Amino acid sequence: DQQVKQNSPSLSVQEGRISILNCDYTNSMFDYFLWYKKYPAEGPTFLISISSIKDKNEDGRFTVFLNKSAKHLSLHIVPSQPGDSAVYFCAASVNYGQNFVFGPGTRLSVLP
Amino acid sequence: GAVVSQHPSWVICKSGTSVKIECRSLDFQATTMFWYRQFPKQSLMLMATSNEGSKATYEQGVEKDKFLINHASLTLSTLTVTSAHPEDSSFYICSASQAPYNEQFFGPGTRLTVL
């Protein structure tokens, strides 16, 4: 049973528009959430995180929203750039721990 | 940012042989290292967590005798896939963190193909 779900395997967005990547989780004990970005043949790189005491965290073009009651988080990228094209993983942990459970990823393609 | 390397980046081996994958933190001391496995189009699955100088903690369903992990120093952890079989073919990624609850930095991964 997948504890972290990313129901869209892929997403295409026009350059300059907003990209919205969604993530749902089932374990109510998760209290720390992260987004990672992964290019082919490279390891994931940390993008942005949010703890369960917040509902929004912003870093430049990237904003993560957390809706605890819906067990849902989303990553907004605006404006989207071609260099943002990658696979985005949502990850979650319990007690702010390091044992992350990853979602299956969403492949974002930003079209010029 | 902190750099984590993996060696080799790609390995092909015959069924029944053992393969060792190295994970190094190049510019920081990693008290904790993690090993993940990724199947095509699937998520990263945590296999085990290792702390320097102690035995690795394996996730449920991961055979500790098949996937031997050694974290002998603060900059090096190794994963040995023993008696590899074709179903072990996968992308193996390590990550390292300087301290508990610190950010994890990922290596570039190792693609293992077992013939």
Side-chain angles (χ1 to χ4, degrees):
Chain A
D1 179 37
Q2 272 192 325
Q3 294 188 66
V4 179
K5 302 176 186 181
Q6 293 176 256
N7 292 321
S8 298
S10 63
L11 174 69
S12 292
V13 170
Q14 209 68 36
E15 181 179 4
R17 307 294 286 267
I18 185 171
S19 295
I20 300 177
L21 298 115
N22 293 305
C23 177
D24 297 285
Y25 60 96
T26 58
N27 188 344
S28 58
M29 299 297 290
F30 287 144
D31 52 16
Y32 186 48
F33 306 88
L34 303 90
W35 284 94
Y36 282 89
K37 176 180 178 180
K38 184 182 181 302
Y39 293 114
E42 293 184 17
T45 53
F46 170 76
L47 203 54
I48 193 169
S49 66
I50 189 167
S51 73
S52 58
I53 61 173
K54 291 187 171 184
D55 54 18
K56 177 182 174 181
N57 189 23
E58 195 171 351
D59 183 3
R61 297 185 296 115
F62 303 92
T63 303
V64 56
F65 295 92
L66 175 61
N67 182 334
K68 289 190 294 293
S69 61
K71 295 193 182 70
H72 175 84
L73 62 155
S74 61
L75 173 68
H76 292 213
I77 306 173
V78 55
S80 301
Q81 299 173 353
D84 296 330
S85 297
V87 177
Y88 289 79
F89 290 99
C90 168
S93 71
V94 175
N95 290 333
Y96 299 90
Q98 289 277 31
N99 287 15
F100 295 119
V101 178
F102 282 80
T106 296
R107 180 176 300 280
L108 173 66
S109 299
V110 180
L111 310 172
Chain B
V3 179
V4 176
S5 71
Q6 279 184 243
H7 177 80
S9 56
W10 185 38
V11 57
I12 301 175
C13 70
K14 289 184 179 179
S15 186
T17 60
S18 294
V19 174
K20 181 185 284 188
I21 303 169
E22 292 185 350
C23 176
R24 293 182 185 272
S25 55
L26 298 185
D27 50 4
F28 68 100
Q29 293 188 322
T31 57
T32 307
M33 286 187 168
F34 304 84
W35 286 95
Y36 294 85
R37 182 174 178 177
Q38 184 183 23
F39 292 101
K41 299 183 181 179
Q42 292 190 31
S43 174
L44 294 169
M45 301 293 294
L46 179 65
M47 298 174 66
T49 304
S50 73
N51 292 296
E52 186 264 339
S54 60
K55 288 184 179 179
T57 302
Y58 289 80
E59 295 299 299
Q60 192 174 9
V62 178
E63 298 174 59
K64 58 181 68 175
D65 294 330
K66 179 160 186 66
F67 298 100
L68 302 177
I69 292 172
N70 185 301
H71 191 169
S73 77
L74 285 171
T75 58
L76 173 64
S77 175
T78 60
L79 167 68
T80 302
V81 182
T82 62
S83 187
H85 290 285
E87 58 265 30
D88 299 324
S89 298
S90 191
F91 194 59
Y92 293 87
I93 301 179
C94 74
S95 70
S97 67
Q98 289 177 281
Y101 307 111
N102 278 27
E103 180 182 347
Q104 287 184 41
F105 297 96
F106 284 82
T110 297
R111 180 160 300 286
L112 170 64
T113 301
V114 184
L115 302 176

